[in-house]
């Protein structure tokens, strides 16, 4: 099936090896069901990482299913209590990595500390950012603002040898004031889905506006390419996929609706992550920071 | 001072009475400082509601200061454990009221239940929405998704005689699927500030894009009025201000940078709220729903 599709796009000579997977995971299936269908492509891919015949997984599948398969087949990196879904969102000066965006709705201080370390190492190893600025998402810049969790995490992150720049508010996510923004998966998921929905909201607003005014209509035609780019501004998959951090293998998620460019970026990010040993770097950083993390009140247990 | 300003705009004949307040609260001051400066305009206004010479307060001042003054001078409505800051955000079919957006970073089930009742009554009394659809903000539509708080609140809201439409995700806030969206003040504040920051982010993106391409530049001139409107799409103050719900008086907050139209809308909303007895309706609804709220596990204590 895939071979005939590749033939249609005249890429039959590309250095691509096709590995068969007899089964399919659909978007509406529960991640737990994946385990019964042993031979879906995502599990075949995970097994290839496990046995060393593959270096990274890029999937446009259901995020929960990929995370579940990764946890089952690869397991967690040493020192990681909870893997996180990260997401590179557009910001004023490049991209900002937001994590967790949905794997862990309820977090403890040590989970957020691990997210901070993993995010920092990812930005350094994959996005080539030196001394990434790490921030904690809260409702005020003062360390005392927010919830018990943000107050204790602020204190804990201040004690780590990261480039921690303090709390930032919702308005600063797009301002580029930080390279890594740490939050629990409840807030992160709501934020991300809200941001993704802006694409459709803006498109509809443009459409309504255009039908109202002749000059705007003419202007919109000239601005067409720009408006199409704006639509993509809020589609996180455009920015090279969402890495699953903390798994014993490099895994990257794209949307099913991702553009060819987004898929290319995700494959590039996954390849860079594998080539630059992002996971080994995460394990080493966590081991190095462990004494400081424990000193700051995180005991590594969950 | 005000009289000379009014004179400059040729509105000296308007039916406006000016009441003197000798002191000023600045944006960078702590709300607690307000109490020492007894005669700031916001406190004079609150006292006017209290003694019956005023019907509502509209302020472009610091939200925390106005809430603190309201709590000190007016107090809470009977049956309200925690007042909330609500915010009418733009959505596909009119506006959606999001609350709490910052007064209560940590909430319990009965706080969210009260927010749901207050929001529903507000949309009915002030925005003239019959049977407002009330939703709970979470990370999945299934009642079991989210945190302990969202799971228990979903169950509790299902037991109230509200038009509860269940959980919605971040992507549904702008879709118009609900008229009232309930969340804790931590998530709500981060969401709102993120949404407000989009205005500047879009403007900068437009500017960068325009400098790149001659045709886009020409198009942008034609689309100027449209782009200005888009900028305002994400400024919540444009939509008639942010009501403080649960205080013993009608209070509405605007931005200092609000447009004349936004100020007009806020005054209109405040006047409507006072004329339609929004607070009396809130008290009656809470009293009516109290048995059901207590049955659902909310004891009204805090």
């Amino acid at each position: 099936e895939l071979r005939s599709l590749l033939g249609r796009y005249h890429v039959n000579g590309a250095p691509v090896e096709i590995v068969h997977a007899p089964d399919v995971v659909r978007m509406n299936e529960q991640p737990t069901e994946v385990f019964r269908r042993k031979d879906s492509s995502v599990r075949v891919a995970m097994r290839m990482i496990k046995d060393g015949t593959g270096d990274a997984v890029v999937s446009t599948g259901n995020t929960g299913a990929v995370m579940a398969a990764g946890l089952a087949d690869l397991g967690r990196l040493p020192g990681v209590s909870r893997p996180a879904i990260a997401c590179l969102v557009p910001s004023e000066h490049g991209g900002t990595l937001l994590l967790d965006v949905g794997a862990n709705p309820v977090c403890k201080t040590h989970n957020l500390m691990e997210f901070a370390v993993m995010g920092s190492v990812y930005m350094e190893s994959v996005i080539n950012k030196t001394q990434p600025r790490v921030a904690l998402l809260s409702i005020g810049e003062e360390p005392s603002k927010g919830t018990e969790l943000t107050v204790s995490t602020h204190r804990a992150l201040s004690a780590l040898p990261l480039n921690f720049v303090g709390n930032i508010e919702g308005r600063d996510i797009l301002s580029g004031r930080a390279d890594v923004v740490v939050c629990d998966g409840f807030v992160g998921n709501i934020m991300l889905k809200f941001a993704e929905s802006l694409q459709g909201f803006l498109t509809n607003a443009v459409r309504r506006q255009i039908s109202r005014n002749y000059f705007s209509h003419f202007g919109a035609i000239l601005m067409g390419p720009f408006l199409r780019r704006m639509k993509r501004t809020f589609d996180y998959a455009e920015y090279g996929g969402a890495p699953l951090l903390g798994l014993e293998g490099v895994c990257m998620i794209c949307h099913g609706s991702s553009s060819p460019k987004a898929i290319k970026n995700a494959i590039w990010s996954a390849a860079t992550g594998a080539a630059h040993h992002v996971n080994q770097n995460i394990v080493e950083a966590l081991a190095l920071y462990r004494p400081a993390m424990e000193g700051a009140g995180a005991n590594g247990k969950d």
Side-chain angles (χ1 to χ4, degrees), chain A residues 7-152:
Chain A
R8 204 192 290 169
Y9 292 100
H10 311 294
V11 286
N12 256 337
V16 172
E17 187 194 338
I18 295 172
V19 179
H20 182 63
D23 226 329
V24 169
V25 184
R26 302 194 185 280
M27 283 307 285
N28 55 358
E29 282 179 291
Q30 293 293 318
T32 45
E33 280 186 45
V34 176
F35 301 111
R36 277 175 245 142
R37 303 160 161 262
K38 289 281 176 197
D39 288 327
S40 61
S41 61
V42 68
R43 301 212 66 181
V44 170
M46 294 292 177
R47 285 203 304 270
M48 288 178 65
I49 297 194
K50 188 78 177 173
D51 68 21
T53 52
D55 290 314
V57 169
V58 176
S59 173
T60 60
N62 177 301
T63 308
V66 177
M67 179 60 102
L71 278 168
D73 290 326
L74 304 173
R76 294 170 297 171
L77 288 174
V80 173
S81 57
R82 299 271 198 93
I85 306 169
C87 171
L88 200 62
V89 297
S91 62
E92 289 287 348
H93 311 287
T96 295
L97 194 74
L98 181 70
L99 76 167
D100 174 37
V101 296
N104 309 285
V106 181
C107 288
K108 293 181 179 168
T109 305
H110 69 270
N111 302 132
L112 295 182
M113 290 171 86
E114 289 170 14
F115 298 168
V117 174
M118 295 194 294
S120 179
V121 171
Y122 182 87
M123 288 304 277
E124 200 146 14
S125 301
V126 179
I127 310 298
N128 207 17
K129 198 100 197 172
T130 49
Q131 290 271 31
R133 294 157 302 161
V134 178
L136 176 66
L137 188 59
S138 188
I139 58 170
E141 294 188 11
E142 306 87 334
S144 62
K145 282 284 179 77
T147 63
E148 255 180 68
L149 178 66
T150 59
V151 171
S152 75

Side-chain angles (χ1 to χ4, degrees), chain A residues 244-278:
Chain A
L244 302 185
L245 295 179
L247 293 176
E248 187 79 86
V250 175
C251 298
M252 198 70 68
I253 307 281
C254 301
H255 269 184
S257 61
S258 296
S259 67
K261 186 182 161 200
I263 302 279
K264 186 199 79 180
N265 287 345
I267 294 173
W268 182 86
S269 296
T272 308
H276 292 190
H277 310 291
V278 60

Side-chain angles (χ1 to χ4, degrees), chain A residues 137-220:
Chain A
L137 188 59
S138 188
I139 58 170
E141 294 188 11
E142 306 87 334
S144 62
K145 282 284 179 77
T147 63
E148 255 180 68
L149 178 66
T150 59
V151 171
S152 75
T153 304
H154 183 103
R155 196 170 43 229
L157 289 178
S158 302
L160 288 192
L162 291 171
N163 185 7
F164 178 54
V165 295
N167 290 359
I168 64 168
E169 297 187 69
R171 70 164 68 97
D172 295 317
I173 294 173
L174 299 176
S175 72
R177 280 188 51 195
D179 304 304
V180 177
V181 174
V182 172
C183 61
D184 67 54
F186 186 79
V187 173
N189 187 269
I190 287 173
M191 281 283 315
L192 183 68
K193 288 192 173 155
F194 176 73
E196 287 177 356
S197 77
L198 290 167
Q199 183 186 344
F201 185 73
L202 284 173
T203 311
N204 289 347
V206 168
R207 218 171 271 151
R208 266 196 301 274
Q209 197 58 40
I210 284 169
S211 64
R212 229 184 259 174
N213 178 304
Y214 179 76
F215 284 112
S216 283
H217 196 150
F218 187 51

